[in-house]
Amino acid sequence: MSLITICGQHGSYALEIARAIASRLGAPLVDEELFEQTAQALQVPLEYVEELTQVPFKFLERIANKLERAMVRPWGGPTLYLPGEALAYVPHLYPLVDDYSFRKALENAVNQMTARGTLVLMGYGTQVILRGHPNAFHVFTIAPLAVRIRRVMEQEGIGEREARRRIETVDSRRRAFVKKYFRADV
């Protein structure tokens, strides 16, 4: 049994490398399935788990996120929005999930999946969760910024300035996710 975790800088082809390794090994690539299993364990919709992964990394974003979670959720749930204004609160059909519960559900999902045998797991803290596992090999993909900018421009059909901004945002959010839920540095 081999467990390979892969994460990397935005535009460094981490997902493409993970797919190639999984294909070569004949092993499943675990990506979206990790969130599906976590959502199922928490008894919440997949969209809610995906929302929890979008960790704000800028100071004002963190403050706004804390206020939203403190003010909106106890009264029922997310707010319906039209461009520019809030309309109404929508009742939750699922429980409020705190950071600890989310992390534990994610860890449990990863640990249950590892019992299947050889796997390739994409990011989202899997490298931290499996850091002490004797059969885990961790990969972090990097590439020069100029190369990543060019790749993101081509893949997403955007200009250089927007590609640079997107790389900075995605990389910062990934670091913030690992720091928030695992108190670790990518």
Side-chain angles (χ1 to χ4, degrees), residues 7-161:
C7 63
Q9 299 171 319
H10 188 54
S12 66
Y13 285 162
L15 181 57
E16 292 81 358
I17 292 168
R19 285 180 180 145
I21 291 171
S23 174
R24 181 81 175 230
L25 293 175
L29 173 61
V30 175
D31 189 9
E32 195 66 28
E33 182 188 354
L34 180 58
F35 292 153
E36 291 166 1
Q37 194 165 331
T38 301
Q40 187 175 27
L42 294 170
Q43 298 179 334
V44 298
L46 178 60
E47 297 79 28
Y48 186 61
V49 169
E50 290 170 344
E51 179 185 315
L52 291 172
T53 68
Q54 298 302 310
V55 177
F57 66 95
K58 293 182 179 176
F59 179 69
L60 292 177
E61 282 184 9
R62 288 195 311 268
I63 290 173
N65 183 266
K66 292 283 186 195
L67 288 173
E68 178 188 350
R69 290 184 86 184
M71 294 171 61
V72 175
R73 300 224 189 277
W75 288 308
T79 306
L80 288 178
Y81 287 97
L82 279 180
E85 60 185 274
L87 291 179
Y89 294 109
V90 179
H92 271 301
L93 300 175
Y94 46 90
L96 178 65
V97 176
D98 61 27
D99 294 348
Y100 177 81
S101 299
F102 173 68
R103 187 184 83 235
K104 283 299 175 191
L106 190 64
E107 288 173 351
N108 289 339
V110 168
N111 289 324
Q112 287 174 7
M113 289 177 183
T114 61
R116 291 193 228 161
T118 301
L119 293 175
V120 178
L121 299 110
M122 280 301 302
Y124 293 103
T126 56
Q127 68 279 22
V128 180
I129 295 167
L130 296 172
R131 71 177 150 216
H133 197 287
N135 297 325
F137 181 75
H138 308 289
V139 177
F140 186 79
T141 62
I142 61 171
L145 181 59
V147 171
R148 294 189 299 136
I149 289 171
R150 182 179 44 78
R151 287 177 181 166
V152 170
M153 287 171 59
E154 291 170 5
Q155 288 175 340
E156 300 180 25
I158 56 178
E160 183 177 343
R161 175 178 269 165

